[in-house]
Amino acid sequence: MSCYLLTPTYYRLWLAFSLWLVLGMMPGHSHASQWLSIKKTDDNQLMIDKQSLLEEKPYIKAWVKVDYRNPQKNVESVDRVYNHAKALWYFDCDKRKAATIQVFQYDDEELVYSAGTTAKQADFIEPLPESEVEVAQQYVCKWQAKEKQRVEAAARRAANPVVPAVASNKDKPAAPDSVAEPAATPVVPKAEEKAAEAKPADAKPAAKPAEEKAAAAKQAAASKTDKGADTLKDKEKTAKTDKTNDKSWAYSGPRGPDKWGSLNPDFAVCNAGSQQSPINIDNTITAALKPIKRLQKFPLKNIVLKDHSLILDAGTGNMMVLDQKPYQLKYIIVHVPSEHQIKQKSYAAELQMVHEDKTGHRVIIAVMLEEGSAHAGLEKLLGSLPKEKEQSKPLAIRVTPADLMPTKPAYYRYSGSLTAPPCTEGVQWVIMKESLKISKFQLGSLQQAIGEPNQRPVQDGQGRMILE
């Protein structure tokens, strides 16, 4: 790390720069920094500013920050010490090389050293294996690959826009083979044409011969057959349209999570989204989060087995406040096993408390359940489980959302999505750190009621900030 931040071989120093120029080059003055921890040891913590990631071909540039537990000595002047440094790194992902363009060292808040060069004059070298530079390079190059995929996906969507489902046959555009042909003009034999001209205007038409009647009957039958064929064709087209806009989905098989995005245009974000949930909670940033204000004393109303899940209707009155905005608890959904992981650990089950504000924005509180002793609140709910799917059953025993919350208020927070179609993004997730204990029998009852695992696989975090 030090060879990239400190060694003068790779830089031209400009200590004569004025302070305002130094501050002008600092990250955070042109945008709000989002420092993401990508490596943490007992000695230091390496962070990268997500907002600074930018492609400047053939390089990717990013600001990094290193906080040190113990003071570090400056190699140029040993009497100078610093406890954190910020640097602008350039990465060449194709050649797997990196260089430092700017570096600033601080003793607490005091700037004690600065140096810099340009991309043309910098020495790009291959990072040492397992060094902080290599860790940052891996993150940046992965980000570059994801950005390329995102741009390509956007270009494909622009070239092939999704056509919304047609409401009725009347609104459907005519297919090329359904354009009506003009009716053929009947050919009249010359003899009949002359007879018609010679016939008086008031003369009555002659009776049709038997063969004409037979021909007319045959034509009527053919018309009826054609009409039936057209009707069958319309039904087939409608069935095909319904199939391409099918909203049914599952947690396994041909309609499983990896196929959700292709089942219906409304589900496209399930595959194409960049902030999908669930994720593994790791590489968090300490933000001293305040305890969430909750009002959870009103009892839950109903319980129903629906959409592959066990759902508890919260009724009205239960609230929470996040970022000074009130949200109302709508329902609680049970997933077995858990969808989120915490530091690569999965849990026996997960309760997701879905809240909404007046504009429809969602906040979901997730509580992990793990096997241990029996849980009194859950035991009350298990006694009210409906025996059939889609059957809503009133809760006869009083259970409040507070009964299903851990005692410790600590939590993680990140921005994600719904974990089932349509996978809408922009959901604020609050993951409680403390889990609840449930017995093996209680877990078995949940598994039997739901029927099959209703767990979406963990999604790519894509460098999202996870606060704690």
Side-chain angles (χ1 to χ4, degrees):
M1 178 68 192
S2 59
C3 68
Y4 283 87
L5 289 177
L6 309 176
T7 306
T9 305
Y10 306 115
Y11 318 115
R12 288 190 175 185
L13 307 182
W14 68 69
L15 295 178
F17 275 126
S18 62
L19 183 60
W20 68 266
L21 179 58
V22 173
L23 293 176
M25 291 186 295
M26 285 301 298
H29 289 266
S30 59
H31 62 266
S33 301
Q34 290 187 11
W35 293 108
L36 172 70
S37 177
I38 57 177
K39 185 178 181 180
K40 189 174 183 180
T41 68
D42 293 338
D43 298 322
N44 59 57
Q45 181 177 19
L46 173 67
M47 290 166 279
I48 193 165
D49 178 15
K50 288 178 56 181
Q51 291 292 86
S52 69
L53 282 166
L54 186 65
E55 187 169 11
E56 195 173 279
K57 293 184 178 180
Y59 309 118
I60 302 295
K61 65 179 183 179
W63 279 96
V64 296
K65 178 169 70 172
V66 185
D67 290 336
Y68 298 94
R69 180 180 294 274
N70 300 313
Q72 307 291 306
K73 291 184 179 181
N74 182 288
V75 294
E76 290 294 309
S77 180
V78 294
D79 59 330
R80 292 178 182 167
V81 296
Y82 61 97
N83 52 25
H84 92 246
K86 295 180 182 179
L88 177 62
W89 281 347
Y90 273 48
F91 301 91
D92 189 330
C93 294
D94 293 335
K95 297 181 180 179
R96 300 189 62 78
K97 292 186 176 182
T100 303
I101 306 303
Q102 298 174 17
V103 61
F104 302 91
Q105 295 172 353
Y106 296 85
D107 183 11
D108 292 331
E109 298 300 324
E110 181 183 357
L111 179 67
V112 297
Y113 178 83
S114 65
T117 185
T118 65
K120 290 183 179 181
Q121 296 171 327
D123 292 330
F124 282 82
I125 63 175
E126 186 173 346
L128 294 173
E130 300 180 359
S131 66
E132 283 83 357
V133 181
E134 186 186 49
V135 171
Q137 187 177 62
Q138 290 174 353
Y139 177 88
V140 168
C141 294
K142 184 177 180 181
W143 172 86
Q144 182 188 39
K146 289 288 184 182
E147 278 293 290
K148 184 178 180 181
Q149 293 176 1
R150 184 187 64 79
V151 172
E152 290 175 351
R156 287 195 299 269
R157 289 194 297 270
N160 301 286
V162 176
V163 179
V166 179
S168 64
N169 288 337
K170 180 181 178 181
D171 298 326
K172 291 183 181 179
D177 59 351
S178 65
V179 177
E181 297 181 1
T185 303
V187 179
V188 182
K190 291 185 178 180
E192 294 183 7
E193 185 178 347
K194 291 181 179 179
E197 291 177 355
K199 190 180 297 181
D202 58 349
K204 293 182 180 181
K208 290 185 178 180
E211 53 270 22
E212 286 187 24
K213 291 183 179 181
K218 185 177 180 181
Q219 184 178 0
S223 176
K224 186 175 181 181
T225 302
D226 291 342
K227 185 176 181 180
D230 290 341
T231 302
L232 180 61
K233 184 182 290 186
D234 288 341
K235 289 182 179 180
E236 291 175 350
K237 288 182 179 179
T238 301
K240 187 176 181 181
T241 301
D242 291 342
K243 186 176 180 180
T244 57
N245 294 285
D246 194 346
K247 292 193 175 183
S248 61
W249 52 274
Y251 282 100
S252 60
R255 297 184 181 277
D258 59 330
K259 300 293 191 301
W260 286 352
S262 59
L263 294 178
N264 186 281
D266 293 340
F267 302 166
V269 72
C270 295
N271 289 0
S274 60
Q275 292 192 332
Q276 288 294 290
S277 296
I279 63 172
N280 173 49
I281 304 298
D282 206 349
N283 294 324
T284 58
I285 298 176
T286 302
L289 298 175
K290 297 180 180 179
I292 296 175
K293 296 179 181 179
R294 296 178 284 112
L295 176 62
Q296 297 181 328
K297 64 180 182 179
F298 296 96
L300 301 171
K301 297 297 183 183
N302 301 294
I303 185 169
V304 61
L305 293 169
K306 184 179 180 182
D307 291 339
H308 318 281
S309 301
L310 178 63
I311 301 175
L312 305 169
D313 179 9
T316 58
N318 295 296
M319 307 287 293
M320 69 165 290
V321 177
L322 185 68
D323 299 334
Q324 299 181 345
K325 293 181 180 179
Y327 295 83
Q328 180 174 328
L329 178 61
K330 295 294 185 179
Y331 58 89
I332 301 174
I333 186 169
V334 184
H335 290 272
V336 181
S338 72
E339 295 196 300
H340 285 86
Q341 295 178 358
I342 299 180
K343 302 186 185 303
Q344 281 77 46
K345 178 182 177 180
S346 295
Y347 290 79
E350 179 177 338
L351 302 180
Q352 296 177 1
M353 302 183 178
V354 183
H355 300 73
E356 290 185 7
D357 67 5
K358 293 181 179 180
T359 60
H361 294 103
R362 296 183 180 92
V363 174
I364 303 179
I365 298 178
V367 180
M368 303 300 153
L369 308 180
E370 61 180 335
E371 194 171 323
S373 57
H375 189 273
L378 186 62
E379 189 66 27
K380 296 178 183 179
L381 294 175
L382 293 177
S384 301
L385 282 175
K387 297 181 180 180
E388 298 180 2
K389 297 285 186 180
E390 307 296 326
Q391 178 186 0
S392 179
K393 187 176 180 181
L395 290 172
I397 302 177
R398 178 185 174 87
V399 181
T400 69
D403 296 330
L404 304 176
M405 287 290 293
T407 55
K408 296 180 180 179
Y411 63 92
Y412 304 100
R413 178 179 173 182
Y414 81 97
S415 181
S417 73
L418 299 178
T419 61
C423 308
T424 306
E425 296 188 340
V427 175
Q428 293 298 315
W429 279 91
V430 173
I431 313 293
M432 304 305 297
K433 290 186 177 182
E434 183 185 13
S435 62
L436 297 181
K437 297 294 191 296
I438 63 172
S439 68
K440 185 176 182 179
F441 176 80
Q442 289 176 328
L443 176 60
S445 298
L446 289 175
Q447 291 171 332
Q448 184 177 2
I450 295 173
E452 64 172 348
N454 58 343
Q455 171 200 50
R456 187 188 191 189
V458 169
Q459 304 296 296
D460 190 344
Q462 298 200 5
R464 273 174 281 179
M465 255 194 327
I466 306 174
L467 305 179
E468 67 169 320

